[in-house]
Amino acid sequence: MGEIDGSYRVLQTPGTRLGAQFNAGISTLEPGQSLSGNMISGSRSQGRGLHIRVQGLDDSQEFFDIDPKAPAQTLLSEVFLRGNLMESDYFGLEFQNMQMNWVWLEPIKPVAKQVRRPSNTLFRLSVKFFPPDPGQLQEEYTRYLFSLQMKRDLMEGRLICTENTGALLASHLVQSEIGDYDDVADRDFLRVNKLLPYQEKVQERIMELHRRHLGQTPAESDFQILEIARKLEMYGVRYHPAADREGTKINLAVSHMGLQVFQGNTKINTFNWSKIRKLSFKRKRFLIKLYPEVHGPHQDTLEFMMASRDQCKIFWKICVEYHSFFRLFDQPQPKSKAILFTRGSSFRYSGRTQKQLVEYVRENGAKRTPYQRCVFPYTVCTLFIRQTPCLPYQFLLSPSALAPQPQRSPLPVALLPDVDPQPAGPGPIATEEGTLLTYQVVVYIVYFKTHVPLFSQRYPTDKAYFIAKEILTTERTYLKDLEVITVWFRSAVIKENAMPEGLMTLLFSNIDPIYEFHRGFLKELDQRLALWWGRSNAHVKGDYQRIGDVMLRNMCALKEFTSYLQKHDEVLTELEKATKRLKKLETVYKEFELQKVCYLPLNTFLLKPIQRLMHYKLILERLCKHYSPSHRDHDDCKEALKEVAEIATQLQSSLIRLENFQKLTELQRDLIGIENLTAPGREFIREGCLYKLTKKGLQQRMFFLFSDMLLYTSKGVTATNQFKVHGQLPLHGMIVEESENEWSVPHCFTIYSAQRTIVVAASSKVEMGKWIEDLNLAIEMSKKSQEKSSIFLDPGFGDHSNRKRSSDEVSLEQESEDDMNSSRTSLDKQTHHRANTTMHVCWHRNTSVSMSDHSLAVENQLSGYLLRKFKNSNGWQKLWVVFTNFCLFFYKTHQDDFPLASLPLLGYTVSTPEESDSIHKEYVFKLQFKSHVYFFRAESEYTFERWMEVIKSAASTAGRMSLLIPKGGPMEMNGN
């Protein structure tokens, strides 16, 4: 045969099924037991090291610095160590060579000798060896990574199967990602996540199959995915194009059992390892020598032609590694170097065999903390990154494919300027003008599946940094809120041609300039926070460890928009008038409010620009209080505070008027049976749940107190979440008295009015006190008012028969929920209203909220990254959390357009964890309502205190107590 380029003699070793399913914990390599533990300490070069980019199985990306002369095993060990991957020998790193073929990185050779430009090459973590039985994968975490490989193979067209099997695999992937079937969640998930090339065609089938997986855990889903995949002919198959002696095009592949030959996608032959005597290649020829057949003569040597010698050698090396991993008991020793000349390749497999790996995991895996993960939907967003010479780009990381232990060095999470100010990569994200790069990055909307500590120990301790960071995080949310109007609502009205041109001009000519200004402002904040603790020399010189100059410059510029902000009163009024006048606009308005992106009542977003001024004022006050007068940032912050306080003072009265008008219009849409709620002079005071005494006994009712009247409503069996008005009592001449003793009902009081007398009971003594104080205050104000309410009920309004009763006769009317169907308005015919508005939360939590509470909540808006943990779970999930309108809204990242989960806080208590909670972390606060318990972990002492402060203002009774109740009074909790 002439000169041999490379050969490998197959040793006949018994093939056994190795291992069985084993309940192991989180993967982590013990010190001294990594593949090259002695290399790790020196893997980061202090000189001109290689900067390597590695993509995980979940498409997250991470940077690694290695010595150019170090073997590639150093990089592999670092990847496995940082990922705490115990069964690491099943995996490898692959890259694309000059011919765009995926090639495995060889552990023994230096990276620089295998890749022409390592720093510009993407290395991809992938499954290298596919065992025949998923039971051989002893760790749940490893099976999860294998399922991600199956997902990748499905999408890339490698795991070829029938459409029905593809749909079944996809259904298990959906179950693993988002849990039990939900029609809306399934459609949303499949809309933004591509699992199959032909997904649209089989989407209904995927959902039908997903419905059958009820109660299946993520671990069970992963196991099912592997069970189905392993039975497929293309499981673990990687094609290597070749041709036989007749020139027929075929594909060669290698598996645990031996070599396979495919024609098209059909397997036409398999050569088991037991039949193969020797594998070799000579230039472009790949040779397989077989043992003589027992049942007659057979061709001794098979020859296949490949496209090049390099491709031939690549396939030969893969065959050598597969045989060694699955068939040998012990790791093969490297071939000794010849003194004078060599004949053939010296390549050998380096690493543990499957048998060694199974034994190692059995001995060490039981020590691990059990790997757990929660399941919630995720989506794909586009990360826009600007690249500049001074600030190399950094990728957003999603560590869902990593499961580190607390004692190991965790993979940094979401290395963005507002999450980790000292990224592990070459520097922070560049946000100034430059080349715009776009990357598709997988990011989870709500939860991580693995439990990765969010915050490393490299955060700066300066409180000023975290105060400045609050400006950045809340600015991100504010800009997203502006986009609800400038992008989403504009698109909706233009599409339906629903808004008159004059109103379009009035609305968008006022808000567009504000939006553009804040886009530039956010860019400056982003850059400054990135440089505050970045890798540049700025943090050494201290040039960028301040925020006052940025704030002063932008607060001065914001003064130019005062005229725009003063027009918001007109904008809100004209928009309300137009929706009443134009049916088409009303329809578009209502339909838009039901979209996920409009997570608050639409006109709430129009108030955001003025409310934002109050936020700047409060944050700058905290900065000025923190800085000493001699601090270099103090004077700028003080001047910026002066500028914004001046604007806020000018607009304070407008804000009060707008907030009241916004609340009245919101209630007008949610209440059936009353018109013209936005009458001039009317002010909203309190809304909440009380129990009204009727002939049926105490019945739950929703009460609304205004400056001129008291409404009570019920939520009946209608097609919407609206409330129907049952009674309207003018405040003129009204008297309120406590009457617990008279009726023997706890927290009971009587309301005497000109039309009727009603008896109501609150959920607690504190709630009763709030209502009585606010009612008496409103009654006193109405006496002094020169104007009397002109809004009285017509004779045809429900319960009119009770008007003739004397004031000392208690109204015990029969209130039927069925009569709500008799007086439906056009508003009642639309789909469900959002269920997390304050009126609905008050209804379900038996509590109340006043206008002063609303005003306080506006001042206390907050957003940022937190870790969340359920009461009975072991792991923490990273979330982008927005607090507004007495509610926490959960996102995966600040880039998401809408939340997929929310937590109304009314009635919740907030505290620090108790000893029985077994929470041994810093900066953790606990939220509890009855049996519902959540834990949240902040990144610093300052952010912890801020979250506690704002949540207390919304959650605890003390925080929402009426100003008229004396301090130190009863402190019962609502809803208990």
Side-chain angles (χ1 to χ4, degrees):
M1 291 176 57
E3 182 185 355
I4 298 177
D5 285 340
S7 63
Y8 180 72
R9 188 171 300 280
V10 177
L11 302 177
Q12 291 311 299
T13 54
T16 60
R17 171 182 164 151
L18 300 173
Q21 188 175 1
F22 185 76
N23 185 18
I26 288 182
S27 302
T28 181
L29 292 172
E30 295 291 343
Q33 291 179 317
S34 64
L35 295 181
S36 58
N38 59 330
M39 300 177 184
I40 294 172
S41 60
S43 63
R44 293 192 179 273
S45 172
Q46 300 298 321
R48 291 182 293 178
L50 291 178
H51 196 62
I52 304 297
R53 179 159 52 100
V54 177
Q55 178 178 321
L57 278 157
D58 64 343
D59 295 333
S60 62
Q61 297 189 7
E62 163 89 336
F63 286 98
F64 296 84
D65 291 322
I66 64 168
D67 191 311
K69 297 181 181 179
Q73 183 62 65
T74 303
L75 174 61
L76 284 163
S77 298
E78 187 77 1
V79 171
F80 298 149
L81 178 68
R82 215 180 277 191
N84 287 284
L85 181 57
M86 190 176 197
E87 294 179 285
S88 56
D89 299 83
Y90 287 111
F91 301 87
L93 293 178
E94 56 181 351
F95 63 94
Q96 286 185 302
N97 60 13
M98 298 298 292
Q99 292 74 40
M100 302 306 291
N101 295 318
W102 286 101
V103 181
W104 291 109
L105 189 67
E106 294 182 31
I108 297 176
K109 293 183 181 179
V111 176
K113 289 192 175 182
Q114 302 181 62
V115 188
R116 179 167 294 184
R117 295 180 178 177
S119 297
N120 296 334
T121 301
L122 174 66
F123 293 86
R124 192 166 74 168
L125 179 68
S126 300
V127 174
K128 189 173 186 178
F129 301 115
F130 291 83
D133 186 347
Q136 295 179 6
L137 304 174
Q138 298 184 59
E139 288 209 310
E140 178 190 330
Y141 177 56
T142 310
R143 291 194 290 272
Y144 163 59
L145 294 183
F146 265 73
S147 74
L148 289 180
Q149 183 70 58
M150 297 303 103
K151 178 181 176 182
R152 181 192 286 177
D153 288 353
L154 275 173
M155 195 55 231
E156 292 181 354
R158 286 179 168 179
L159 191 59
I160 300 171
C161 56
T162 64
E163 289 183 357
N164 195 55
T165 302
L168 180 59
L169 284 166
S171 70
H172 284 293
L173 285 167
V174 175
Q175 177 72 18
S176 174
E177 299 290 357
I178 69 174
D180 289 340
Y181 173 83
D182 177 86
D183 186 77
V184 175
D186 276 37
R187 292 185 188 280
D188 286 344
F189 178 85
L190 293 171
R191 176 171 54 82
V192 296
N193 293 274
K194 196 81 169 175
L195 303 178
L196 300 168
Y198 45 86
Q199 184 165 302
E200 292 79 6
K201 186 178 178 182
V202 297
Q203 178 165 316
E204 295 302 321
R205 179 61 176 159
I206 294 173
M207 295 173 65
E208 178 188 342
L209 291 167
H210 181 208
R211 190 184 285 111
R212 303 177 186 178
H213 306 328
L214 184 67
Q216 187 170 284
T217 66
E220 291 168 343
S221 297
D222 294 340
F223 199 89
Q224 289 299 322
I225 290 167
L226 298 183
E227 272 293 305
I228 297 166
R230 78 179 181 93
K231 298 173 185 177
L232 298 174
E233 201 163 67
M234 302 301 292
Y235 167 68
V237 170
R238 300 293 182 262
Y239 280 159
H240 295 265
D244 61 15
R245 286 186 173 180
E246 286 74 35
T248 304
K249 291 183 178 180
I250 51 95
N251 288 302
L252 298 178
V254 62
S255 69
H256 64 281
M257 65 173 59
L259 270 65
Q260 300 171 327
V261 183
F262 290 82
Q263 193 165 28
N265 292 324
T266 304
K267 184 162 63 176
I268 59 175
N269 211 339
T270 299
F271 300 101
N272 290 333
W273 295 122
S274 58
K275 296 180 180 179
I276 299 174
R277 183 166 60 92
K278 186 177 182 180
L279 296 174
S280 61
F281 68 94
K282 186 172 189 291
R283 296 183 177 87
K284 295 194 291 185
R285 290 183 295 164
F286 185 81
L287 306 168
I288 305 174
K289 284 192 175 183
L290 304 173
Y291 281 97
E293 285 287 335
V294 177
H295 304 291
H298 192 274
Q299 187 178 1
D300 177 64
T301 303
L302 300 177
E303 182 177 309
F304 299 94
M305 294 293 292
M306 305 190 83
S308 66
R309 179 186 179 277
D310 287 344
Q311 289 191 24
C312 215
K313 186 174 183 179
I314 288 169
F315 182 59
W316 175 78
K317 286 181 177 179
I318 294 172
C319 292
V320 170
E321 292 184 311
Y322 251 85
H323 177 266
S324 300
F325 183 74
F326 285 108
R327 298 284 289 186
L328 299 185
F329 286 134
D330 299 311
Q331 181 177 344
Q333 297 300 316
K335 185 177 179 181
S336 58
K337 292 185 178 180
I339 299 175
L340 298 177
F341 62 90
T342 60
R343 189 171 183 267
S345 173
S346 62
F347 176 79
R348 289 293 183 270
Y349 168 67
S350 60
R352 289 175 290 207
T353 65
Q354 190 188 40
K355 182 179 184 297
Q356 290 175 316
L357 179 60
V358 168
E359 290 173 350
Y360 169 70
V361 175
R362 279 178 173 169
E363 291 173 4
N364 298 276
K367 305 173 186 177
R368 306 292 176 261
T369 304
Y371 165 75
Q372 297 181 8
R373 75 179 190 266
C374 298
V375 290
F376 287 89
Y378 65 87
T379 188
V380 177
C381 74
T382 302
L383 177 62
F384 295 95
I385 306 173
R386 294 189 181 277
Q387 183 183 17
T388 63
C390 62
L391 291 172
Y393 56 83
Q394 173 69 46
F395 289 85
L396 172 67
L397 301 181
S398 171
S400 59
L402 302 164
Q405 286 252 43
Q407 66 266 27
R408 311 299 293 173
S409 299
L411 175 65
V413 179
L415 299 184
L416 293 168
D418 58 301
V419 176
D420 188 354
Q422 189 179 357
I429 294 179
T431 54
E432 66 269 22
E433 292 301 322
T435 305
L436 182 63
L437 304 176
T438 304
Y439 295 92
Q440 288 275 314
V441 185
V442 174
V443 291
Y444 295 91
I445 288 181
V446 179
Y447 296 105
F448 281 129
K449 296 192 195 97
T450 57
H451 311 310
V452 184
L454 173 58
F455 309 110
S456 68
Q457 298 302 313
R458 295 176 295 170
Y459 279 88
T461 56
D462 185 14
K463 182 180 177 180
Y465 170 82
F466 295 106
I467 299 176
K469 187 172 176 181
E470 183 181 333
I471 302 174
L472 173 66
T473 56
T474 52
E475 189 73 12
R476 291 191 188 282
T477 298
Y478 171 56
L479 203 64
K480 279 291 183 183
D481 287 343
L482 290 182
E483 287 178 1
V484 174
I485 301 290
T486 61
V487 177
W488 299 95
F489 185 58
R490 187 205 306 266
S491 175
V493 294
I494 290 176
K495 181 180 179 182
E496 300 297 331
N497 193 24
M499 186 177 287
E501 187 175 341
L503 183 57
M504 284 276 289
T505 303
L506 176 65
L507 172 58
F508 296 110
S509 66
N510 271 279
I511 201 164
D512 283 347
I514 295 171
Y515 173 67
E516 289 302 322
F517 167 77
H518 285 282
R519 285 184 64 190
F521 182 30
L522 177 61
K523 183 186 293 185
E524 284 193 62
L525 292 171
D526 201 350
Q527 180 179 347
R528 177 55 56 88
L529 267 293
L531 292 173
W532 192 308
W533 209 259
R535 293 170 65 90
S536 69
N537 291 328
H539 72 280
V540 177
K541 296 182 293 184
D543 293 347
Y544 293 99
Q545 288 189 326
R546 56 196 176 99
I547 198 70
D549 58 328
V550 175
M551 295 301 295
L552 178 58
R553 183 166 57 252
N554 284 277
M555 293 306 101
C556 290
L558 196 57
K559 291 179 72 174
E560 300 176 10
F561 295 94
T562 306
S563 59
Y564 293 101
L565 296 172
Q566 288 172 337
K567 286 185 178 180
H568 273 52
D569 199 337
E570 180 186 355
V571 170
L572 207 60
T573 305
E574 290 301 317
L575 182 60
E576 180 65 20
K577 288 179 180 177
T579 53
K580 290 181 178 178
R581 187 176 72 254
L582 303 171
K583 187 68 178 177
K584 191 173 185 180
L585 178 59
E586 181 190 26
T587 303
V588 171
Y589 191 108
K590 292 172 185 174
E591 289 177 351
F592 181 76
E593 275 202 320
L594 297 174
Q595 293 184 22
K596 290 181 179 180
V597 72
C598 189
Y599 67 101
L600 299 171
L602 178 59
N603 53 18
T604 302
F605 295 101
L606 290 170
L607 271 61
K608 295 288 183 180
I610 301 180
Q611 293 171 346
R612 186 62 178 150
L613 295 173
M614 311 303 167
H615 303 158
Y616 293 143
K617 181 173 176 288
L618 292 169
I619 296 174
L620 283 168
E621 285 175 349
R622 282 195 291 274
L623 264 176
C624 290
K625 186 177 180 180
H626 167 69
Y627 286 138
S628 65
S630 61
H631 195 282
R632 66 182 184 280
D633 204 27
H634 178 269
D635 290 345
D636 283 343
C637 286
K638 191 172 182 179
E639 280 299 309
L641 174 59
K642 181 180 176 182
E643 294 291 338
V644 75
E646 183 181 330
I647 311 172
T649 301
Q650 294 179 34
L651 297 169
Q652 181 66 39
S653 58
S654 293
L655 179 59
I656 295 172
R657 186 170 60 254
L658 286 171
E659 287 178 344
N660 183 68
F661 183 75
Q662 183 276 324
K663 186 61 182 178
L664 292 176
T665 54
E666 176 190 329
L667 293 176
Q668 181 72 75
R669 288 182 170 84
D670 278 352
L671 298 181
I672 301 173
I674 187 167
E675 300 296 333
N676 198 23
L677 196 60
T678 57
R682 176 170 291 143
E683 295 180 19
F684 168 76
I685 298 176
R686 180 174 291 277
E687 62 183 339
C689 178
L690 294 171
Y691 288 86
K692 182 177 178 292
L693 191 62
T694 69
K695 290 180 180 179
K696 288 184 177 180
L698 289 173
Q699 298 287 319
Q700 187 178 4
R701 296 288 178 262
M702 190 71 185
F703 281 73
F704 299 90
L705 175 61
F706 302 93
S707 58
D708 61 336
M709 64 176 175
L710 177 68
L711 298 180
Y712 58 93
T713 66
S714 65
K715 184 180 179 184
V717 285
T718 64
T720 73
N721 280 323
Q722 293 168 287
F723 289 81
K724 183 191 173 184
V725 177
H726 277 269
Q728 176 180 351
L729 308 177
L731 297 185
H732 184 67
M734 181 180 287
I735 300 174
V736 181
E737 292 181 354
E738 289 190 41
S739 52
E740 290 185 73
N741 297 332
E742 181 181 351
W743 295 95
S744 299
V745 176
H747 322 310
C748 171
F749 57 99
T750 304
I751 301 172
Y752 302 92
S753 73
Q755 278 78 23
R756 71 189 67 143
T757 299
I758 61 173
V759 178
V760 294
S763 59
S764 68
K765 191 168 184 178
V766 171
E767 276 294 299
M768 180 182 72
K770 291 180 186 179
W771 276 107
I772 292 177
E773 293 290 341
D774 280 357
L775 277 164
N776 285 330
L777 177 64
I779 292 168
E780 191 64 30
M781 290 173 61
S782 70
K783 288 179 182 178
K784 298 176 181 179
S785 175
Q786 297 299 316
E787 297 178 8
K788 293 183 180 180
S789 175
S790 60
I791 311 298
F792 291 99
L793 294 177
D794 294 328
F797 191 82
D799 297 336
H800 63 275
S801 60
N802 294 311
R803 293 184 188 175
K804 297 179 181 179
R805 300 185 183 187
S806 61
S807 60
D808 61 346
E809 183 181 357
V810 177
S811 170
L812 294 177
E813 69 271 14
Q814 180 74 35
E815 291 184 351
S816 171
E817 304 295 347
D818 298 330
D819 65 1
M820 296 184 68
N821 297 316
S822 61
S823 60
R824 290 189 182 181
T825 65
S826 60
L827 195 65
D828 190 31
K829 296 176 182 177
Q830 63 175 301
T831 54
H832 287 270
H833 286 202
R834 68 181 71 256
N836 61 3
T837 56
T838 50
M839 81 158 63
H840 292 96
V841 179
C842 287
W843 174 265
H844 292 293
R845 304 271 170 84
N846 295 326
T847 187
S848 66
V849 173
S850 70
M851 192 63 203
S852 61
D853 296 329
H854 280 283
S855 299
L856 183 63
V858 165
E859 294 179 359
N860 282 321
Q861 295 188 26
L862 191 62
S863 52
Y865 282 103
L866 290 174
L867 290 175
R868 182 174 111 166
K869 178 184 177 298
F870 294 108
K871 179 182 179 181
N872 296 318
S873 67
N874 293 324
W876 297 85
Q877 300 88 33
K878 177 202 166 197
L879 309 166
W880 174 258
V881 184
V882 173
F883 168 74
T884 185
N885 287 43
F886 306 98
C887 190
L888 294 179
F889 294 92
F890 301 119
Y891 304 75
K892 173 51 193 72
T893 74
H894 64 267
Q895 296 169 317
D896 295 339
D897 291 320
F898 55 84
L900 289 188
S902 62
L903 179 63
L905 294 175
L906 297 177
Y908 269 80
T909 59
V910 59
S911 62
T912 53
E914 301 170 359
E915 190 67 31
S916 59
D917 294 321
S918 299
I919 302 294
H920 306 296
K921 302 286 185 182
E922 288 184 311
Y923 315 133
V924 176
F925 58 90
K926 175 182 178 181
L927 280 176
Q928 183 168 3
F929 175 70
K930 296 184 177 179
S931 61
H932 302 282
V933 178
Y934 305 94
F935 299 97
F936 292 89
R937 182 182 169 202
E939 62 177 321
S940 68
E941 183 179 2
Y942 172 79
T943 50
F944 165 77
E945 291 173 352
R946 282 291 293 138
W947 280 106
M948 287 282 285
E949 177 186 347
V950 300
I951 291 175
K952 277 183 179 179
S953 72
S956 67
T957 303
R960 297 185 298 104
M961 188 174 295
S962 170
L963 298 176
L964 298 169
I965 294 189
K967 292 184 179 180
M971 297 294 289
E972 298 177 42
M973 300 312 300
N974 292 330
N976 293 336

